[in-house]
Amino acid sequence: RTQPRASAGGYEFGFAVVLLVAVMICVMSANRGLLADQPQAETKGQSARIAELIELLGNSNYATREKAQAELSRLGLEAFDALLDAQEHDDVEVALRARYLVRGMNIGWVRDDDPPEVKAILLGYEAAGPDHRRSILNRLALEEAYLGTDALCRLARFETHEVLSKKAALLVMLQDAPRDQQTLKEHVDKIRRSIGASRRTGAEWLRTYVAVLSQRDGALEELDELVQREQEIYSMLPNKSSKTIIGDLLLWQPGILRQ
């Protein structure tokens, strides 16, 4: 008589444990979802605030303009992309203040964790003219073991000269992708970390490059669109691109497909 009761009790206890574990998994999954959504929501909120502050740069009240400029200055590189775009704002006051803020930003071309070879190449980049900067980009691309990749991604993200920004991204893309899977993963992760959430064209190209390397669905279609869009930009706004950029893109596209 006692055996069935013991079995029933064991069954009930086991069921309770399974139920408790299931509830905990659901709660943890929900929390992970909330935590994953939180940074995205914060990023959108920050972008909206930056856009609002940029519009306030053209406010009729001088004190309001100054306050908005001071807050944008405190945000620093987080407002870089938006301020770069705002340099061409229809409101002259907004455009002038945006240019002032961009010029005053401390980009930090050389980072403490850069390899010694990269630090040596980047030395003096801030004071260099466009031609010298272009030669620095080329030297970074020649570094073995992808040592210059992080720096090139940084330049693609923060170089204010649009053509040089695109050139930096292209130099990363034109390198032969690592064939070893672990090295490839590290290479892709490095690029993702370096470009962050940047909206620059060069950063978008690198995202497409990473998507192709990762064999993400739809990546090849994005690649086609990228090349076509840049050809259109060059035909309408030649100062935003160059024949060399277009030529490199057209040569790179079949090469990356072969890889």
Side-chain angles (χ1 to χ4, degrees):
R1 288 182 181 179
T2 55
Q3 186 63 37
R5 282 199 297 270
S7 299
Y11 171 78
E12 289 169 1
F13 177 75
F15 178 76
V17 170
V18 170
L19 183 61
L20 178 61
V21 171
V23 170
M24 289 175 67
I25 289 172
C26 288
V27 171
M28 290 169 67
S29 297
N31 286 338
R32 276 198 298 270
L34 289 171
L35 290 172
D37 290 341
Q38 189 176 357
Q40 189 174 3
E42 288 176 358
T43 301
K44 287 182 179 178
Q46 177 108 313
S47 298
R49 178 57 181 161
I50 290 170
E52 180 185 0
L53 288 169
I54 286 174
E55 291 305 316
L56 289 174
L57 292 176
N59 192 276
S60 57
N61 184 282
Y62 174 78
T64 301
R65 297 198 300 272
E66 288 291 296
K67 185 178 178 182
Q69 181 170 312
E71 190 170 341
L72 284 166
S73 181
R74 282 194 297 273
L75 286 168
L77 294 179
E78 292 179 31
F80 180 83
D81 285 0
L83 284 169
L84 200 65
D85 292 341
Q87 291 182 125
E88 299 178 11
H89 200 282
D90 292 337
D91 188 317
V92 176
E93 180 78 14
V94 173
L96 288 173
R97 285 178 179 263
R99 284 173 200 154
Y100 172 80
L101 285 165
V102 169
R103 283 199 303 269
M105 284 186 180
N106 180 21
I107 303 297
W109 300 113
V110 182
R111 304 285 167 86
D112 291 339
D113 57 349
D114 283 336
E117 302 93 327
V118 171
K119 288 180 179 178
I121 293 171
L122 284 172
L123 192 65
Y125 185 86
E126 188 169 0
D131 289 339
H132 187 193
R133 288 191 173 195
R134 190 174 288 106
S135 70
I136 290 173
L137 298 182
N138 289 327
R139 287 172 63 196
L140 286 170
L142 293 173
E143 285 297 305
E144 294 182 0
Y146 308 100
L147 285 180
T149 298
D150 190 43
L152 285 169
C153 291
R154 186 186 314 151
L155 295 167
R157 184 175 182 179
F158 294 118
E159 169 59 68
T160 56
H161 193 296
E162 188 69 11
V163 174
L164 288 179
S165 169
K166 291 176 178 179
K167 179 67 174 177
L170 261 175
L171 286 170
V172 175
M173 295 153 64
L174 287 168
Q175 293 175 320
D176 287 337
R179 297 188 180 277
D180 173 69
Q181 286 302 306
Q182 182 58 35
T183 308
L184 178 62
K185 182 182 181 303
E186 292 170 0
H187 185 61
V188 164
D189 289 344
K190 181 188 290 186
I191 294 171
R192 283 179 175 146
R193 282 196 308 273
S194 299
I195 61 175
S198 175
R199 304 193 310 268
R200 300 291 301 282
T201 301
E204 293 293 350
W205 288 2
L206 287 168
R207 277 194 199 91
T208 302
Y209 172 64
V210 163
V212 172
L213 291 183
S214 305
Q215 299 183 28
R216 195 191 73 200
D217 289 344
L220 296 181
E221 288 77 8
E222 289 178 24
L223 179 62
D224 287 335
E225 291 172 9
L226 177 159
V227 176
Q228 291 173 17
R229 187 162 59 246
E230 190 62 19
Q231 288 176 299
E232 291 169 4
I233 287 172
Y234 180 63
S235 64
M236 295 185 293
L237 301 166
N239 63 316
K240 298 288 185 182
S241 188
S242 71
K243 288 182 179 179
T244 305
I245 294 286
I246 299 297
D248 285 345
L249 274 176
L250 291 172
L251 286 172
W252 167 75
Q253 188 179 17
I256 192 65
L257 290 175
R258 281 196 299 273
Q259 288 188 56

